[in-house]
Amino acid sequence: MDRPDISTAELVALLEWYHEAGVDLAIDEAPHDHFAEADAARRQKAQPVARVVPSPASPEQAAQSARALAAEAPTLDALRSLMAGFEGCELRRTARQLVFSDGIAGARVMLVGEAPGRDEDEQGLPFIGRSGKLLDRMLAAIGLDRSSVYIANVIPWRPPGNRTPTPQEIAICLPFIERHIALAAPDVLVCLGGPSAQTLLNQRDGILRLRGRWFDYDCNGRVIPALATLHPAYLLRQPAQKKLAWRDLRALQAKLRG
Ligand code: URA
């Protein structure tokens, strides 16, 4: 192919522009049916599916169906396979796979982020990209790691181009993460970032107001202390704010010791 008449700096600027716009996958010159590819990848990964729950007619019905399905799950494995068969959230059509959890179910601390990104979507595990690496370092600073915490997201499928999930998508997925927390039954819940804190703690304030505060998370009548803190992706963009995250981590450490 002829090299286009464009300098390296211009090429880098163009790629950055695409990336900002959410185009973060390399494609080639032949057209691809990405929906078919995602379906094929899903079939190949063969995540256990309890049963396929077909796409409901409206988002309200989808949320209702998610709630009924989540309530049926007696274990985390059952929840995972019910979610793998749920077709009520459009995000699963563009995502490669369900990103359910990482870490140890039953750990004292459960961290909940927003939604998987590209790396998580590829590997099927939450927080394994750049923000995940920072999260690992943050946990290590207070003596924790993935063998002593449990990690999940409010949304278990990657939103295309890492866009923010819509309120409808959040409403549809909320019953799943609520059941997920109930079944994991942590002693302490940590909400990573605004969308997680606002959704799970039923708050409207931004994360800079919510962070560092403890809330009561009502888990079917059992109250779990829940801490809102800054999302590692935000800290990668605003490293000066790490001092605030450090305060939150110390508060978490004190709570676990207390
Ligand atoms: N950001 C999140 O909120 N969750 C992930 O799993 C990865 C990045």
Side-chain angles (χ1 to χ4, degrees):
M1 199 176 78
D2 287 345
R3 192 183 146 79
D5 190 11
I6 181 170
S7 72
T8 304
E10 284 167 333
L11 200 53
V12 168
L14 183 63
L15 286 173
E16 279 173 356
W17 184 83
Y18 276 128
H19 193 260
E20 288 284 302
V23 182
D24 56 8
L25 281 180
I27 53 169
D28 63 20
E29 288 169 22
H32 284 257
D33 180 348
H34 287 286
F35 290 123
E37 285 172 5
D39 282 347
R42 250 195 310 275
R43 274 197 298 278
Q44 216 176 27
K45 298 232 171 184
Q47 291 179 337
V49 169
R51 64 173 180 276
V52 173
V53 179
S55 200
S58 71
E60 292 72 27
Q61 284 174 346
Q64 250 176 28
S65 142
R67 192 158 297 283
L69 212 56
E72 278 181 27
T75 62
L76 287 168
D77 281 347
L79 181 66
R80 180 202 289 258
S81 48
L82 284 170
M83 287 166 67
F86 180 71
E87 295 193 339
C89 181
E90 283 296 302
L91 291 176
R92 70 163 280 167
R93 279 178 42 80
T94 45
R96 286 183 195 204
Q97 57 186 314
L98 175 78
V99 176
F100 187 71
S101 68
D102 196 15
I104 300 294
R108 291 188 66 201
V109 182
M110 178 168 181
L111 302 121
V112 181
E114 178 181 341
R118 186 188 55 189
D119 297 319
E120 290 76 18
D121 183 46
E122 264 169 22
Q123 296 196 35
L125 291 170
F127 283 102
I128 42 131
R130 274 185 76 221
S131 42
K133 303 263 177 313
L134 176 57
L135 180 62
D136 287 342
R137 293 200 296 277
M138 290 162 67
L139 292 173
I142 54 165
L144 298 175
D145 61 22
R146 287 181 194 235
S147 67
S148 51
V149 301
Y150 188 59
I151 309 178
N153 282 304
V154 171
I155 301 280
W157 294 281
R158 181 196 183 198
N162 297 348
R163 67 161 170 74
T164 303
T166 65
Q168 277 179 349
E169 289 158 354
I170 291 178
I172 292 169
C173 294
L174 183 59
F176 291 133
I177 187 62
E178 285 178 344
R179 185 72 184 144
H180 202 153
I181 296 168
L183 289 168
D187 291 342
V188 176
L189 184 65
V190 178
C191 299
L192 297 168
S196 168
Q198 287 155 349
T199 306
L200 296 178
L201 307 175
N202 204 13
Q203 298 292 315
R204 286 169 159 248
D205 283 341
I207 190 63
L208 288 173
R209 278 182 183 276
L210 297 175
R211 65 140 286 278
R213 287 169 52 195
W214 287 95
F215 295 82
D216 285 345
Y217 178 83
D218 181 356
C219 192
N220 304 327
R222 174 179 169 243
V223 173
I224 302 177
L227 177 67
T229 190
L230 301 172
H231 194 287
Y234 170 80
L235 296 172
L236 287 171
R237 294 192 302 273
Q238 304 283 340
Q241 302 286 50
K242 284 185 185 166
K243 59 181 182 299
L244 300 178
W246 175 237
R247 275 184 221 157
D248 301 346
L249 287 168
R250 297 286 300 271
L252 172 62
Q253 189 177 39
K255 179 71 85 185
L256 292 172
R257 284 182 178 158

